[in-house]
Structure formats: C-alpha cells, structure tokens
Amino acid sequence: MQRQQRWQRWLLAVVCLMALPAYADGTQAPVFEVQAFETNWYYEVDKQSTWQADLNARVAAIEGIFEGTLGVYVQNLATGEAYSWRADRPWYLASLVKVPIAAQVLAERQAGTLSLDERLTLSRSDFVDGAGPVIWHDPGTPISIRCLLEQMITVSDNTASDMLIDRVGLADVNIRARAMIAGSGGNPDDIGPITKLVGVRQGVYGQLHPDARTLDGMDFIALRQHRLSQRAAALAQRLDVDPSTLKQPDYDHAFDAYEATGENVGTLRAYGDLLVSVYKEAASGGLGAQPSQALLEIMQRTTSGSNRLTAGLGDTIRFAHKTGTQHRRSCDAGIASHEEANGPWVIVACSRGPVAVNDHERALARVGDALRYSGALGKP
C-alpha cells in the first residue's frame, strides 16, 4: 500500500509538471491559435445550408441506434450560421460547468487576486468521487492552483474542481457563467445555477432522503462502491433510516428528480454562447484575451473523452474541449478548427439514455462522424 501511494504521488507530480501553461506571474502565457473576425451572429442570420438536412438525417439515425436522446448544437463562428438538434431544451451539463470555473480562476489571476503558484491544502472534506488523481493524495497535501486547474479540465478531476470553487467563490463562478453567455448575446437565464460537485451528490441522494444533504464526500465515495440497484438501500443503512421512508424508488428516479431542480442544467445553445464568449475574448486582443487564450490552451490538452466527438471528427480537426459524465448522461463540448475550412465552430453535444458510458461515447463519436461527413465543418 505504501509503495502504491508513493507511486500515485509521483504520478500526480509528473502530471502537474508536464505541459503546464506558463502565465504572466513569471513567464510567457500560451497562445491558442485564434483569429479576429467580423460576423453576423446567428441571432441575425436567417439561413440554412444544405448540410443541415443531411446532418438531421444522420443524427436521427444515430439516435435510433443509441436508443436514447441526443442534443447537438453547432455554430460557425465565421458566418454565424447555427444548427440545432434539441439544443433549446434543458440538458444536464455535468462537468461542462468546469469551464466557467476555470474562467473565473484565470480572470482572478489576471486581476492579481490569486497566483497559479498558490498552494491549496487538500483536506478530507474536499474528497469527491470520480475521475482524476488529486484524490490519491493524503489530507494535508498542498497542491498548486496551476495543477488543480490542469486536472479539473484535462481529466475532469472533481476534487480539484471543488477546491477551486472554494478558493474563488461559487457565487462569482455563477456570475461569470451568466456574464459569458450574455456577452455573446445569449440568454443567461437558460443556464441553471452551478454547484459544487459534492453538492451534486447531496442533491441526488437528497431526493431519496433529505438527511443525505448532511453527508460529505467520503460518505458518497462509500456509497458509490454499491451497485446502482443497491444504492438506495445502502443510503438508508448509512443514514440509519427505514427504507420505506425513502422518497424515490431508486437512484434512477432520484437523479431525474435532481435534474428537474435545474442545478447544473442548461440549453446547449446557452452553453454554446458561453464558449463563443471564450473564443471572442481570446481573439479580441483586449484585457480578457490572455485568460481566454490560456483556457483554450488547457482545453486543447484534454485527455478525457477521447472516444467521443474527437474520435469522429478526425485527425485534421483541432478540438479544444471539455467533457462531462454523469448517471445515464454524457456531454462533449468545445471549439473546433481546421486550417483549410471556413471556421472555427462551437460544438456542443449531449446524450441521455443507457447506463453504460460506452454506449454514450459511441453515439457521440458517431455525431463527430456526422459533423465531418455532412459538410457541417467544411468540405468532408
């Protein structure tokens, strides 16, 4: 066990040193390749290219095989033309909400209110189940904001996310997200409140029993060791309550009820507006350019979701993106570019349906294929 812990600490240290961006508090910031452009945004554009009908047919076919539902939103940032497949209905965004968290962190670095070299101390209460290596560390370990930021985006580390939220403040993250959407002409009311990741667990299990809202991350890590069909009973045992007092019959219904609260939920069009804001700031050359360029550079290094949109888009498309995964729900969203095509494009895709994550990844990869071969991203 000690040998394994030493190996895990060494791996995290290597991960946090490799390919990390440099910033104004010492060295040159990375530059994601962006270009300033003049465009009529989709609110002003009333046209549909022939590829849209082709893409509709392809997405409908994918959805039939998937046996679930898909949402797809695409916007060409050079022309303003937009495509929507259920993009105006609410979707659970999962870890896509980590992009505005990162934007707030980088904005505060730009303002001088934090340094990426600042170290936050990992506490036992910070632990959140899910992907990422931060949870491998012992409580009391100091970890730099730079490392937490990298892990939150590139491998979707939940513990890193909640530590950063605690540092910059959840209220400011939500203000940032709404401002980003409004800055692109979208409706900020089309995205619900962003919460901490441990808050998601408290919200879901709280639909089963209100006392679950008092549990912490370690409790939810223990509950996750049980099969989905057993989690309601395991919660009742952990809370020492009669299973008959549970408000939902199972975890499936509990998650559906939680999603209906609107937390971490938004339309794909609104999330697309948020990504447009990132790109526009990076292209502007103004005060907000450096944080946005840095964010896109980190998103370009994302390694989670390699079997989703990226797998279908092909090797010639650069995709700076963020993934999200939750119970029966998956997402992939970012900014795609191609040197020889009239882009770039904002792409947001989410799925809801089967339990198996692999089924969602195959469906999203096929959406990537459909985008490429329909001509949505230029000549196929």
Side-chain angles (χ1 to χ4, degrees), residues 128-135 155-159 224:
V128 185
D129 61 285
V134 174
I135 201 171
V155 297
S156 206
D157 193 300
N158 290 336
T159 301
R224 191 173 180 177

Side-chain angles (χ1 to χ4, degrees), residues 163-292:
M163 292 177 72
L164 291 174
I165 287 175
D166 285 341
R167 175 61 180 84
V168 301
L170 187 57
D172 286 341
V173 169
N174 277 283
I175 291 170
R176 174 73 52 183
R178 291 176 62 85
M180 292 168 77
I181 294 169
S184 297
N187 182 1
D189 291 334
D190 284 344
I191 191 168
I194 294 169
T195 69
K196 292 180 65 174
L197 276 297
V198 72
V200 173
R201 279 69 177 162
Q202 291 167 336
V204 174
Y205 284 100
Q207 298 297 324
L208 288 163
H209 196 284
D211 289 354
R213 297 183 184 277
T214 66
L215 300 180
D216 63 19
M218 296 303 294
D219 292 313
F220 298 121
I221 289 172
L223 287 169
R224 191 173 180 177
Q225 306 310 308
H226 297 272
R227 293 181 179 179
L228 283 171
S229 61
Q230 300 172 338
R231 288 186 189 174
L235 176 67
Q237 184 177 19
R238 196 164 197 86
L239 295 176
D240 194 23
V241 299
D242 191 317
S244 66
T245 64
L246 297 181
K247 306 299 183 182
Q248 298 290 341
D250 52 36
Y251 190 85
D252 274 351
H253 286 82
F255 204 102
D256 289 346
Y258 172 68
E259 182 178 2
T261 69
E263 291 185 350
N264 305 304
V265 168
T267 69
L268 303 193
R269 190 184 300 273
Y271 195 83
D273 287 325
L274 186 148
L275 292 177
V276 170
S277 177
V278 175
Y279 190 89
K280 287 173 62 179
E281 286 285 357
S284 70
L287 184 63
Q290 186 179 16
S292 295

Side-chain angles (χ1 to χ4, degrees), residues 1 39 47 58 81 84 102 109 113 131 136 191 204 219 239 306 323 348 370:
M1 178 64 69
T39 182
K47 66 175 185 177
R58 291 175 185 270
E81 182 179 6
S84 171
R109 187 215 59 82
T113 56
W136 297 345
I191 191 168
V204 174
D219 292 313
L239 295 176
S306 59
T323 60
V348 188

